[in-house]
Amino acid sequence: MAETERLICPAGVLVDSGKGVRFEVEYFGELAPAFVVRESGIAYGYLNRCAHVAMELDWQEGVFFDSDGRDLLCSTHGATYDTASGRCVGLPCNGTPLVKLRVEERDGMIYFKGFEDD
């Protein structure tokens, strides 16, 4: 699953608890949707796939946060995920986390660096 570093977007595009940026990554040999968001000044990236059922989380393109702007929300099943860890904090996923990506912010840009388990 290793992939070389690549640019996702300018860092200024991401606003705390605002819209995320969608992009694609290679995951087990296939292209998979992914996203990056910002919360409390930190950029976080995940596969755009609910841990409960493999559906994309955003109900409108780039809209990943719940109405409080705190947790990530699956628009299909209502599962909520902690933004920093990706851990499920609300049913129906029973603690199963999102697939976390390694992202890095430097020189005013956000980069995809691989998967947390690589």
Side-chain angles (χ1 to χ4, degrees), residues 30-68:
E30 295 188 20
L31 284 181
F35 67 94
V36 64
V37 293
R38 183 182 303 283
E39 202 259 329
S40 298
I42 301 171
Y44 298 98
Y46 296 97
L47 279 188
N48 190 359
R49 182 179 295 165
C50 180
H52 174 236
V53 174
M55 303 284 293
E56 293 183 12
L57 274 74
D58 48 342
W59 62 278
Q60 288 183 334
E61 187 169 329
V63 179
F64 295 98
F65 285 100
D66 63 9
S67 60
D68 295 332

Side-chain angles (χ1 to χ4, degrees), residues 74-93:
C74 175
S75 63
T76 303
H77 304 101
T80 54
Y81 300 90
D82 176 73
T83 304
S85 69
R87 184 177 56 84
C88 182
V89 293
L91 296 174
C93 50

Side-chain angles (χ1 to χ4, degrees), residues 21-22 50-51 54 66-67 70 82 106 110:
V21 172
R22 293 172 50 113
C50 180
D66 63 9
S67 60
R70 188 186 68 218
D82 176 73
R106 72 172 190 277
I110 305 288

